[in-house]
Amino acid sequence: MLKINNLHAGVEGKEILKGINIEVNAGEVHAIMGPNGSGKSTLSSVIAGKEEFEVTDGNIVFAGEDLEELSAEERAHKGIFLSFQYPVEIPGVSVTNFMKTAINETRKAQGLEEMPASEMLKKIREKSELLEIDRKFLSRSLNEGFSGGEKKRNEIFQMAMLEPKLAILDETDSGLDIDALRIVSNGVNRLRSKDNAVVVITHYQRLLDYIVPDFVHVLLDGKIVKSGGAELAHELEEKGYDWIKQEKVSN
Amino acid sequence: MELKDKLVSSFFAYEDGLDVQSPLHDICSDAIKKFDEKGFPTKKEEAWKYTSLNAILKQNYSLFPKAETGLEFKDVMRYFIHDIDSYKIAFVDGRYSSNLSATSHDGLDVCLMSSALSKPKYRAIIEKYFNKTANTEDSLTALNTAFLKEGAFINIPKGKIVDKPIQILHFSTGKEPAMMLQPRNLIVVGEHAQVQIIERHQSLTENPVLTNVVTEIFADKRSLVDYYKIQNDNPGASLIDNTYISQEKESHASVHTFSIGGHLTRNNLNFYHKDERVMSTLKGITIIGEKQHVDHHTLVNHACPNCESHQDYKGIYSDRSTGVFNGKIIVEKEAQKTNAFQQNNNILLDDKATINTKPQLEIFADDVKCSHGCTIGQLDEDAMFYLRSRGIPTKEAKALLMYAFANNVLESVKIPEVKARINKLIAKKLGVNLGFEL
Ligand SMILES: Nc1ncnc2c1ncn2[C@@H]1O[C@H](COP(=O)(O)OP(=O)(O)O)[C@@H](O)[C@H]1O
Ligand SMILES: [Mg+2]
């Protein structure tokens, strides 16, 4: 589904991603772990099409298509979703209206009719129940005055509404208490199927107890330095990242 | 002949129609003298540094257009807020149009300036209020006063809560190649009375129109006045709006100005506090492009203790459009415990668009809270990426962010239908259909 080949990317001449290779297949969950500043958010932004970053080498192929020429909105229309580490506040635009616009613009791009209002309402009800989101919350301005946890839960609500093929969750666990973590993980797990894939970015093991990954990759200074199964996350939790840094040096 | 000379000489013809005995005659002839002495403002004057009238004054305006009667309500319905019940005072080419209007003398007066000026029963009120708050030193105001003829007269007696909004519409038909209009409105709101007013100037063709309007508003004790100006005229139309508001004790007055259309728009909005615990609200949204120009000059004169003023103006400029915001706040020595706030935020969407923004604070009291802030920026890239990553195309994403940016101003609009209309006008201006109203 997603194939990242030797990806180099940066901003204003500064290289941040230094040759990344990852392959994610339908039905899989991948975790990318790494210390602060290692390039995790940059990687997710580049996949989602943030123009600020320049790809200097390599490429990203999604569902058989090179993403290079595609804008952020076109990538979304093809089924890529990014849950933001720092969601943006949009005063005056309610969560519901925002979702309606996002869904209908996506449908328009896919050559579909607008979603009938009744179906939209039903879907909103269903997904907000899944994420235990109060109705009143949905008429509030998007992210404005939301707590850190509310913002993250709202991101997953959006994901549930948009039903993407590939969901990238950038530190969705930060700011969540244990109950919210359970609710959010439940929401993500409900989306999992043999047809879609999830990339979970985190620097804690905690979330991976709920969303169990098939593969774990360690990102250090813009490179994947180690990959393994779910057990690698536990190892990292115990030993920290220094262990890998040393291993890397001794290699 | 230059427009100034043409105006001054045609005053004498116009003067023949005035009653020389009436005190109004003196007011008008003093006013034309003032205008003759000062002329049109030029860029040499500080207050007109960024707004040049030169180009629009070159037109050969007809000053006394012929009566136009062919206009029917269905032709112009869309310029009214037509989905609410309202009083209406409509003018076509400067003359009252009875078939477009719905006036009243039932418990309040929603009628014409010309009848207020001529009928003896209004003499006292005219003497008390007419030309009393308008700045007689201002040349454009004086010019309007000199040609005093027609406009809206609204008189709300003590304690009256007006049951529906009042709409004032000034249409120009474009029957003349170029036309100058000078409506004069007088609004007197009695003690404890409440009223909502919507004003709009609309030309029906692309022919040049220059409107120089003066509106005087008196808000008596504890009255509540909400005024909405919808400025979305054709590209040939220019507007100079001079509004003067005088507020008595504990009155609340607000003016929202939505500047979207038109060629050149200058708003001179002046608030004067006459007693304590007055509240004044001045808000605006400007969204312009191409070569449009909108200039907001505001003045709040805090002359009494314990008063408040809130100003919030948002501007979005694209192409080669230009904006001006000059917010003057005077806090006189007596005006202790004044709270005066001013905010002006601007987004420039193109390199060629410009905004000149300037707070002008003159504070003579020592126990006051005043704050002002102005920003000039672009749309936030991170926010754009956020919206686009949800599948919202660039144009719609921009529009959403502009709505978000202007939202504070829309929030305080108290008539839902006005808010909905402004939303529509903004969406149209931005060329988007978001599928919902904010
Ligand atoms: N827009 C930017 N401009 C300059 N440097 C950036 C920008 N975005 C990220 N960086 C830098 O790239 C590196 C990786 O950042 P980031 O991808 O946010 O890391 P992580 O998400 O792993 O904490 C950091 O050194 C950061 O300062
Ligand atoms: Mg990050």
mmCIF file of all heavy atoms in Angstrom, chain B residues 23 31 42 68 71 75 83 127 183 188 191 199 215 260 322 357 379 412:
data_model
loop_
_atom_site.group_PDB
_atom_site.id
_atom_site.type_symbol
_atom_site.label_atom_id
_atom_site.label_comp_id
_atom_site.label_asym_id
_atom_site.label_seq_id
_atom_site.Cartn_x
_atom_site.Cartn_y
_atom_site.Cartn_z
ATOM 1 N N PRO B 23 -34.741 78.580 9.415
ATOM 2 C CA PRO B 23 -33.384 78.486 9.976
ATOM 3 C C PRO B 23 -32.512 77.517 9.179
ATOM 4 O O PRO B 23 -31.295 77.607 9.198
ATOM 5 C CB PRO B 23 -33.618 77.954 11.401
ATOM 6 C CG PRO B 23 -35.034 77.489 11.466
ATOM 7 C CD PRO B 23 -35.782 78.123 10.348
ATOM 8 N N ALA B 31 -23.089 76.111 5.321
ATOM 9 C CA ALA B 31 -22.407 74.869 4.939
ATOM 10 C C ALA B 31 -21.738 75.007 3.579
ATOM 11 O O ALA B 31 -20.604 74.571 3.395
ATOM 12 C CB ALA B 31 -23.394 73.704 4.951
ATOM 13 N N THR B 42 -7.719 66.652 0.238
ATOM 14 C CA THR B 42 -6.635 66.141 -0.618
ATOM 15 C C THR B 42 -5.672 65.323 0.229
ATOM 16 O O THR B 42 -5.735 65.334 1.467
ATOM 17 C CB THR B 42 -5.845 67.288 -1.255
ATOM 18 O OG1 THR B 42 -5.147 67.974 -0.199
ATOM 19 C CG2 THR B 42 -6.752 68.273 -1.979
ATOM 20 N N GLU B 68 -37.141 58.746 -11.131
ATOM 21 C CA GLU B 68 -37.185 57.435 -11.772
ATOM 22 C C GLU B 68 -38.260 56.631 -11.048
ATOM 23 O O GLU B 68 -38.214 56.449 -9.844
ATOM 24 C CB GLU B 68 -35.810 56.775 -11.633
ATOM 25 C CG GLU B 68 -35.790 55.298 -11.856
ATOM 26 C CD GLU B 68 -36.250 54.908 -13.248
ATOM 27 O OE1 GLU B 68 -35.765 55.488 -14.233
ATOM 28 O OE2 GLU B 68 -37.113 54.011 -13.338
ATOM 29 N N LEU B 71 -38.971 51.400 -11.167
ATOM 30 C CA LEU B 71 -38.393 50.301 -10.405
ATOM 31 C C LEU B 71 -39.443 49.586 -9.552
ATOM 32 O O LEU B 71 -40.186 50.209 -8.814
ATOM 33 C CB LEU B 71 -37.302 50.884 -9.501
ATOM 34 C CG LEU B 71 -36.097 50.011 -9.196
ATOM 35 C CD1 LEU B 71 -35.427 49.514 -10.458
ATOM 36 C CD2 LEU B 71 -35.117 50.810 -8.348
ATOM 37 N N ASP B 75 -37.489 43.773 -8.740
ATOM 38 C CA ASP B 75 -36.206 44.061 -9.389
ATOM 39 C C ASP B 75 -35.068 44.224 -8.375
ATOM 40 O O ASP B 75 -33.906 44.013 -8.702
ATOM 41 C CB ASP B 75 -36.282 45.378 -10.196
ATOM 42 C CG ASP B 75 -37.381 45.334 -11.242
ATOM 43 O OD1 ASP B 75 -37.659 44.226 -11.737
ATOM 44 O OD2 ASP B 75 -37.950 46.405 -11.543
ATOM 45 N N ASP B 83 -35.999 38.127 3.887
ATOM 46 C CA ASP B 83 -36.604 37.005 4.595
ATOM 47 C C ASP B 83 -37.009 37.362 6.027
ATOM 48 O O ASP B 83 -37.255 36.486 6.843
ATOM 49 C CB ASP B 83 -35.686 35.774 4.563
ATOM 50 C CG ASP B 83 -34.221 36.127 4.764
ATOM 51 O OD1 ASP B 83 -33.933 37.321 5.018
ATOM 52 O OD2 ASP B 83 -33.377 35.230 4.681
ATOM 53 N N GLU B 127 -34.982 71.046 15.199
ATOM 54 C CA GLU B 127 -34.176 72.108 15.808
ATOM 55 C C GLU B 127 -33.235 71.557 16.870
ATOM 56 O O GLU B 127 -32.113 72.005 17.027
ATOM 57 C CB GLU B 127 -35.087 73.183 16.410
ATOM 58 C CG GLU B 127 -35.367 74.264 15.389
ATOM 59 C CD GLU B 127 -36.405 75.271 15.858
ATOM 60 O OE1 GLU B 127 -36.611 75.382 17.088
ATOM 61 O OE2 GLU B 127 -37.015 75.926 14.988
ATOM 62 N N PRO B 183 -27.496 61.623 0.367
ATOM 63 C CA PRO B 183 -28.584 61.415 1.321
ATOM 64 C C PRO B 183 -28.205 61.896 2.724
ATOM 65 O O PRO B 183 -27.025 61.898 3.099
ATOM 66 C CB PRO B 183 -28.774 59.901 1.336
ATOM 67 C CG PRO B 183 -27.843 59.335 0.339
ATOM 68 C CD PRO B 183 -26.876 60.384 -0.066
ATOM 69 N N VAL B 188 -33.244 59.429 15.793
ATOM 70 C CA VAL B 188 -33.327 59.851 17.183
ATOM 71 C C VAL B 188 -33.963 58.715 17.983
ATOM 72 O O VAL B 188 -35.080 58.285 17.692
ATOM 73 C CB VAL B 188 -34.176 61.134 17.320
ATOM 74 C CG1 VAL B 188 -34.255 61.569 18.785
ATOM 75 C CG2 VAL B 188 -33.591 62.259 16.458
ATOM 76 N N GLU B 191 -35.210 57.611 25.272
ATOM 77 C CA GLU B 191 -34.818 56.896 26.493
ATOM 78 C C GLU B 191 -35.351 55.473 26.493
ATOM 79 O O GLU B 191 -36.516 55.250 26.158
ATOM 80 C CB GLU B 191 -35.424 57.602 27.712
ATOM 81 C CG GLU B 191 -34.557 58.707 28.249
ATOM 82 C CD GLU B 191 -35.174 59.325 29.510
ATOM 83 O OE1 GLU B 191 -35.620 58.563 30.380
ATOM 84 O OE2 GLU B 191 -35.207 60.568 29.570
ATOM 85 N N GLU B 199 -28.426 49.536 6.700
ATOM 86 C CA GLU B 199 -28.298 50.557 5.657
ATOM 87 C C GLU B 199 -27.490 50.016 4.488
ATOM 88 O O GLU B 199 -26.483 49.345 4.675
ATOM 89 C CB GLU B 199 -27.585 51.795 6.224
ATOM 90 C CG GLU B 199 -27.376 52.900 5.195
ATOM 91 C CD GLU B 199 -26.466 54.028 5.704
ATOM 92 O OE1 GLU B 199 -26.072 54.017 6.885
ATOM 93 O OE2 GLU B 199 -26.142 54.908 4.899
ATOM 94 N N THR B 215 -25.088 60.588 8.280
ATOM 95 C CA THR B 215 -26.093 60.026 9.184
ATOM 96 C C THR B 215 -25.794 60.513 10.591
ATOM 97 O O THR B 215 -24.668 60.370 11.068
ATOM 98 C CB THR B 215 -26.049 58.481 9.158
ATOM 99 O OG1 THR B 215 -26.234 58.046 7.816
ATOM 100 C CG2 THR B 215 -27.119 57.878 10.056
ATOM 101 N N ILE B 260 -17.393 44.992 1.180
ATOM 102 C CA ILE B 260 -17.033 43.901 0.270
ATOM 103 C C ILE B 260 -16.939 44.405 -1.173
ATOM 104 O O ILE B 260 -16.034 44.062 -1.899
ATOM 105 C CB ILE B 260 -18.079 42.767 0.384
ATOM 106 C CG1 ILE B 260 -18.116 42.228 1.825
ATOM 107 C CG2 ILE B 260 -17.745 41.636 -0.591
ATOM 108 C CD1 ILE B 260 -19.319 41.402 2.148
ATOM 109 N N THR B 322 -6.353 48.093 -1.690
ATOM 110 C CA THR B 322 -5.686 48.836 -0.623
ATOM 111 C C THR B 322 -6.660 49.102 0.525
ATOM 112 O O THR B 322 -7.842 49.368 0.307
ATOM 113 C CB THR B 322 -5.161 50.194 -1.136
ATOM 114 O OG1 THR B 322 -6.207 50.842 -1.865
ATOM 115 C CG2 THR B 322 -3.954 50.027 -2.023
ATOM 116 N N THR B 357 -2.322 50.848 8.563
ATOM 117 C CA THR B 357 -3.103 50.794 9.792
ATOM 118 C C THR B 357 -2.420 51.591 10.881
ATOM 119 O O THR B 357 -1.207 51.526 11.042
ATOM 120 C CB THR B 357 -3.371 49.334 10.236
ATOM 121 O OG1 THR B 357 -3.971 49.340 11.528
ATOM 122 C CG2 THR B 357 -2.109 48.500 10.271
ATOM 123 N N LEU B 379 -2.181 34.105 5.490
ATOM 124 C CA LEU B 379 -2.895 32.959 6.045
ATOM 125 C C LEU B 379 -1.874 31.991 6.626
ATOM 126 O O LEU B 379 -0.800 31.800 6.089
ATOM 127 C CB LEU B 379 -3.714 32.267 4.959
ATOM 128 C CG LEU B 379 -4.964 33.010 4.493
ATOM 129 C CD1 LEU B 379 -5.665 32.201 3.415
ATOM 130 C CD2 LEU B 379 -5.923 33.280 5.646
ATOM 131 N N SER B 412 -21.096 38.949 16.794
ATOM 132 C CA SER B 412 -21.907 39.918 17.525
ATOM 133 C C SER B 412 -23.060 40.483 16.701
ATOM 134 O O SER B 412 -23.775 41.365 17.159
ATOM 135 C CB SER B 412 -21.012 41.038 18.064
ATOM 136 O OG SER B 412 -20.244 41.566 17.019
#
